[in-house]
Amino acid sequence: MAKVEILVGTTQGGTEYVADDMAAQLTDIGHQTQIHLTPNLTDLDPDSLWLIVCSTHGAGDLPDNIEPFYRQLFGNNGDLKSLKYALCAIGDSSYDTFCQGPEKIISELDRLDAKPIVNKIQIDVQRDPVPEDAALAWLSEWQASI
């Protein structure tokens, strides 16, 4: 089974609940998971799957707890060719910056040659007031392939 590093970007803690539920689902089927509430590039295994579970804050910004990680990626000139990742973005479509915060991280991962293993999900809390349900359904679609 796979090792999954779950990187959480949250402002008020709701995204952390989503990450916890996703970790439990992955653990239940035999994957090894580790949740990072303050991800640090040097602590992450580039040979594992990075599952990024992140909300958008303010005007398309990243939550404060994951901003330093983004700056580490931005300042990195290496490559992450072996890295596979998946993105679960959570936002509110009543804002014109819907789910734009996590896109900054994805842009840097793409620049560093990391590869997504699945199409991202953008959960709209206007449509899915319990984002855990949408996230777990999305995860169920592809979790066996890791």
Side-chain angles (χ1 to χ4, degrees):
M1 288 288 158
K3 180 177 179 186
V4 182
E5 307 266 13
I6 303 174
L7 291 63
V8 180
T10 187
T11 300
Q12 298 178 350
T15 305
E16 185 178 348
Y17 296 131
V18 174
D20 287 343
D21 285 357
M22 294 175 93
Q25 183 168 314
L26 288 165
T27 300
D28 285 348
I29 62 167
H31 296 296
Q32 177 188 357
T33 63
Q34 183 172 359
I35 294 177
H36 300 272
L37 297 178
T38 53
N40 186 312
L41 192 55
T42 59
D43 296 336
L44 299 171
D45 181 355
D47 294 323
S48 64
L49 169 67
W50 292 6
L51 175 54
I52 302 157
V53 184
C54 186
S55 62
T56 295
H57 176 71
D61 299 318
L62 287 164
D64 289 345
N65 73 302
I66 203 164
E67 180 70 31
F69 172 73
Y70 167 72
R71 287 194 306 271
Q72 287 178 323
L73 286 175
F74 189 78
N76 189 326
N77 290 322
D79 76 59
L80 293 173
K81 287 180 187 171
S82 66
L83 177 68
K84 306 287 188 219
Y85 71 87
L87 171 64
C88 175
I90 301 169
D92 183 333
S93 64
S94 66
Y95 293 91
D96 60 356
T97 57
F98 173 66
C99 287
Q100 286 184 6
E103 291 298 328
K104 295 175 182 179
I105 293 173
I106 298 311
S107 178
E108 288 305 307
L109 289 176
D110 290 346
R111 180 184 65 81
L112 295 167
D113 293 324
K115 301 291 182 252
I117 65 161
V118 65
N119 289 332
K120 67 184 173 192
I121 184 172
Q122 292 181 322
I123 299 173
D124 180 1
V125 296
Q126 292 289 325
R127 276 195 334 246
D128 293 301
V130 181
E132 291 91 333
D133 294 342
L136 293 175
W138 171 73
L139 181 59
S140 292
E141 292 174 6
W142 59 269
Q143 67 190 13
S145 67
I146 56 175

